[in-house]
């Protein structure tokens, strides 16, 4: 959870290309938390698995087939987003705007968005809500003004619409985007 605020703060301070070591540099997360970290990192400019020599190996295949399959989906989504990342990098070079932005970026007058540090905007058009705790089944999301479309389709095959504040169910295989 601390990583999200750090990445946002670094971007606002002019360090646009940053991100965590997936799984952290020290320690040994559970398979679930490693996967959640991997999913979050798929939406950050800097994406790498890395750790200290003294930590156990932490690669997607080290946690079993289920986690590997889901990590693969997150990695494939990241590759699909590469043109978007390139566009954001170009915008950063022209304007200095960070790739990863706080939710208040689009509406700085809205105090409801000022202290949100558990989600972020990737550019102006993508809201990412990483899951940062184990066994999470839903998360509260405060959307910036406007109508937001969920990236993943619901059980009816439709992309859900969101506005305002919502409690959103989450599954291991996806994070709210």
């Amino acid at each position: 959870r601390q990583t999200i605020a750090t990445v946002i703060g670094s971007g606002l301070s002019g360090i646009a290309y940053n991100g965590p070591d997936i799984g952290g540099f020290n320690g040994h997360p559970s398979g679930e938390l490693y996967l959640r970290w991997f999913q979050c990192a798929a939406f950050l400019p800097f994406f790498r698995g890395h750790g200290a020599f003294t930590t156990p190996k932490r690669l997607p295949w080290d946690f079993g087939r289920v986690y590997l399959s889901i990590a693969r989906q997150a990695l494939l989504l990241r590759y699909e987003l590469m043109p978007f990342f390139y566009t954001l990098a170009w915008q950063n070079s022209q304007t200095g705007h960070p790739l990863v932005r706080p939710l208040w970026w689009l509406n700085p007058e809205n105090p409801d968005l000022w202290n949100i540090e558990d989600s972020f905007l990737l550019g102006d058009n993508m809201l990412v809500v990483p899951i940062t705790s184990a066994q999470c089944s839903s998360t509260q999301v405060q959307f910036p003004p406007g109508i937001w479309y969920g990236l993943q389709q619901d059980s009816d095959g439709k992309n859900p619409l969101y506005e305002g504040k919502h409690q959103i169910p989450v599954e291991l295989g996806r994070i709210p985007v």
Side-chain angles (χ1 to χ4, degrees):
R1 190 172 196 273
Q2 180 183 357
T3 294
I4 299 164
T6 302
V7 169
I8 291 170
S10 295
L12 292 172
S13 299
I15 305 170
Y17 302 95
N18 70 87
D21 296 327
I22 297 172
F25 187 72
N26 289 310
H28 187 63
S30 68
E32 180 185 359
L33 289 178
Y34 175 85
L35 178 64
R36 293 303 195 180
W37 209 315
F38 195 95
Q39 290 170 321
C40 174
F43 294 94
L44 298 175
F46 192 72
F47 180 82
R48 74 173 184 177
H50 182 66
F53 288 118
T54 58
T55 61
K57 284 178 39 183
R58 293 173 298 181
L59 298 168
W61 48 87
D62 293 326
F63 294 99
R65 288 179 186 253
V66 170
Y67 295 112
L68 175 60
S69 175
I70 297 169
R72 183 177 286 124
Q73 292 171 10
L75 186 57
L76 290 173
L77 178 57
R78 179 177 178 81
Y79 278 112
E80 288 181 37
L81 292 172
M82 289 310 284
F84 185 56
F85 275 105
Y86 289 142
T87 299
L88 292 174
W90 178 82
Q91 289 174 350
N92 171 261
S93 74
Q94 301 300 305
T95 66
H97 294 171
L99 286 69
V100 174
R101 303 168 185 174
L103 264 58
W104 55 257
W105 184 266
L106 299 175
N107 192 296
E109 304 82 30
N110 185 343
D112 292 338
L113 304 174
W114 291 349
N115 294 318
I116 297 175
E117 295 183 340
D118 62 352
S119 54
F120 59 88
L121 295 170
L122 182 58
D124 287 344
N125 302 310
M126 190 173 288
L127 171 62
V128 181
V129 185
I131 305 303
T132 58
S133 60
Q135 301 176 347
C136 181
S137 60
S138 69
T139 188
Q140 181 99 12
V141 180
Q142 174 66 54
F143 290 89
I147 297 173
W148 293 81
Y149 295 85
L151 183 64
Q152 291 104 357
Q153 295 179 343
D154 59 21
S155 59
D156 297 331
K158 297 179 181 177
N159 294 71
L161 300 175
Y162 299 104
E163 194 173 10
K165 188 181 268 189
H166 286 271
Q167 190 74 19
I168 299 178
V170 296
E171 303 167 12
L172 186 59
R174 57 177 63 173
I175 62 174
V177 179

